[in-house]
Amino acid sequence: MKKIIILGATGHVGAYTLQYLKEHLNSNEYQLIAAGRRNVDFFEKNMGIEYCQVDITKKEDFAKLPSDAYAVIHLAGIMPASMKGYDPYPYIDINIKGSLNVLEYCAKANCKKIIVTHTESDLSGYWESGTSIDPDLPAKFDHGSNYGMYIISRLAVREMCENYYLRHGITPYFIRCSTVYCYTESPYMYKYGERIIPGYLQIYNKAMKGEPIEVWGDPSVKTDIVYVKDFAQIVEKMILTESAPRGYYNIGTDLPISLEDQIKIAIEVFGKDGKRSEIVYRPDKPNGRNFVMDISKTKNELGYAPMYDYRKYLEDYKKEMEVNRFHGLFTDRAD
């Protein structure tokens, strides 16, 4: 059995990825093992998957994991969306030092692959209207921004992975992504250290209630919306590949959609007959971002084929909201 360790399994993306892999990987060939910082019994009770309580900042916790592993999916860490206020130290202590502990475990467990999430913000210097962002561009970002230390910590993880590839033969695959959309009971995240309900959830909630929804700026500006099950598909492809070279792979759909169309489809999917939201145009407000991630390498090297356009994503999101399969697993981001 090839053991697949999922670090960060108690997070939103981690739990959905684990569910996807359970449904798609051959259980006679692969054994899934979930790991996370919190003490939970959800995976063993509800999914029949072994769970290990592992805080990646504690070297001794890795003794709880198997002594051998085929691949590690490293989704653990801290990002600005989960940080109240601002403190640069967790980026060093968790993202860098914690990842070093992960890599040391990989080396001792004779791990063949490590799959790591990576921010798109290290390429923010290339964001321009209509731009298609190549995954292998050199980093270009504002070092003095609020996200500067976070980006630096992720780049440090990349360099450490390259070191462990050359020294121990652990092939690193990086999934470059921004927001990965999925249903969760908690509606909150942090932006610049302040707790907010993100704009897309405000749109969905207003559509459900039939309340007016504003379209800010240029209604034709497009962005790419990536569903968690397409993210998980890429993880599966990385586990299975025997030929794709190490390095960065962008996540995307090749189907960017305007904010105006996002709102129209959200009203169709979530709205109730007799009480449909009115669309209010606000050209006086700022435009959204207008670039897409080039996924040609992800498609050509990994055989990735996006399954969810925006409408399919919302329809599945609605089903997940009704099923609420991870009820009680995710923690709220309290003030």
Side-chain angles (χ1 to χ4, degrees):
M1 296 286 283
K2 296 179 179 178
K3 297 182 179 67
I4 311 295
I5 316 297
I6 299 94
L7 296 168
T10 58
H12 306 151
V13 174
Y16 276 102
T17 299
L18 187 63
Q19 177 70 36
Y20 183 94
L21 295 178
K22 177 179 170 61
E23 294 172 354
H24 289 82
L25 286 179
N26 184 347
S27 61
N28 293 318
E29 185 176 359
Y30 296 96
Q31 178 186 355
L32 297 171
I33 298 164
R37 183 173 51 84
R38 293 188 288 123
N39 182 17
V40 299
D41 59 5
F42 181 91
F43 299 105
E44 292 169 339
K45 279 188 174 181
N46 296 279
M47 300 173 67
I49 292 176
E50 180 183 349
Y51 177 79
C52 300
Q53 186 178 1
V54 174
D55 181 337
I56 64 170
T57 67
K58 299 177 179 178
K59 289 187 289 186
E60 62 273 17
D61 276 10
F62 286 85
K64 302 173 185 177
L65 294 174
S67 58
D68 65 304
Y70 178 73
V72 168
I73 303 166
H74 180 15
L75 307 178
I78 188 166
M79 63 184 74
S82 60
M83 180 182 285
K84 180 181 179 181
Y86 176 74
D87 182 359
Y89 283 90
Y91 293 134
I92 306 302
D93 295 336
I94 300 174
N95 291 354
I96 296 180
K97 292 182 179 179
S99 293
L100 178 59
N101 291 336
V102 172
L103 286 165
E104 275 293 290
Y105 165 74
C106 289
K108 292 174 183 176
N110 295 313
C111 183
K112 304 302 180 186
K113 304 177 182 182
I114 183 168
I115 298 168
V116 187
T117 52
H118 187 87
T119 179
E120 65 172 2
S121 299
D122 66 323
L123 301 182
S124 58
Y126 301 101
W127 294 353
E128 295 177 4
S129 178
T131 300
S132 180
I133 307 295
D134 186 284
D136 295 315
L137 288 170
K140 183 180 180 183
F141 64 97
D142 180 3
H143 285 70
S145 73
N146 286 354
Y147 297 146
M149 283 300 294
Y150 168 67
I151 297 169
I152 290 166
S153 73
R154 301 313 304 176
L155 291 171
V157 172
R158 178 193 69 182
E159 298 301 323
M160 291 192 298
C161 286
E162 182 68 9
N163 176 267
Y164 274 72
Y165 166 73
L166 294 172
R167 292 180 59 224
H168 300 284
I170 306 164
T171 303
Y173 294 102
F174 301 96
I175 306 177
R176 180 181 271 113
C177 50
S178 55
T179 301
V180 176
Y181 293 80
C182 63
Y183 172 71
T184 170
E185 289 179 289
S186 174
Y188 300 108
M189 62 172 286
Y190 287 97
K191 186 175 182 178
Y192 303 126
E194 298 292 329
R195 194 174 79 153
I196 65 165
I197 297 177
Y200 73 93
L201 287 183
Q202 294 184 44
I203 290 171
Y204 304 164
N205 291 336
K206 288 179 182 292
M208 292 177 205
K209 297 174 183 177
E211 297 176 352
I213 304 174
E214 294 183 350
V215 177
W216 283 22
D218 181 353
S220 67
V221 168
K222 294 184 178 182
T223 190
D224 207 352
I225 306 295
V226 178
Y227 191 34
V228 68
K229 294 181 183 181
D230 271 333
F231 172 93
Q233 181 202 162
I234 293 178
V235 172
E236 180 201 16
K237 301 288 189 188
M238 289 176 168
I239 291 170
L240 296 177
T241 186
E242 297 180 357
S243 59
R246 72 188 190 279
Y248 284 108
Y249 291 86
N250 286 343
I251 186 171
T253 66
D254 264 350
L255 294 168
I257 183 169
S258 69
L259 177 58
E260 181 180 35
D261 285 339
Q262 290 177 49
I263 292 172
K264 288 180 178 178
I265 295 172
I267 292 171
E268 292 173 8
V269 173
F270 294 117
K272 297 179 175 61
D273 291 336
K275 195 177 182 182
R276 293 297 179 103
S277 296
E278 173 193 3
I279 298 177
V280 179
Y281 292 89
R282 294 294 306 273
D284 56 307
K285 294 292 187 177
N287 294 334
R289 297 189 303 178
N290 186 21
F291 68 92
V292 296
M293 306 302 286
D294 181 352
I295 62 169
S296 57
K297 178 181 176 183
T298 314
K299 294 164 71 174
N300 294 336
E301 299 290 348
L302 294 173
Y304 168 63
M307 299 182 295
Y308 292 89
D309 61 16
Y310 187 73
R311 183 181 295 276
K312 288 181 180 177
Y313 145 57
L314 285 192
E315 290 171 347
D316 199 74
Y317 180 102
K318 187 177 181 180
K319 292 177 184 177
E320 290 292 334
M321 183 169 60
E322 293 166 353
V323 172
N324 199 8
R325 72 174 77 240
F326 297 115
H327 173 66
L329 176 63
F330 303 139
T331 57
D332 192 13
R333 287 170 176 162
D335 282 328

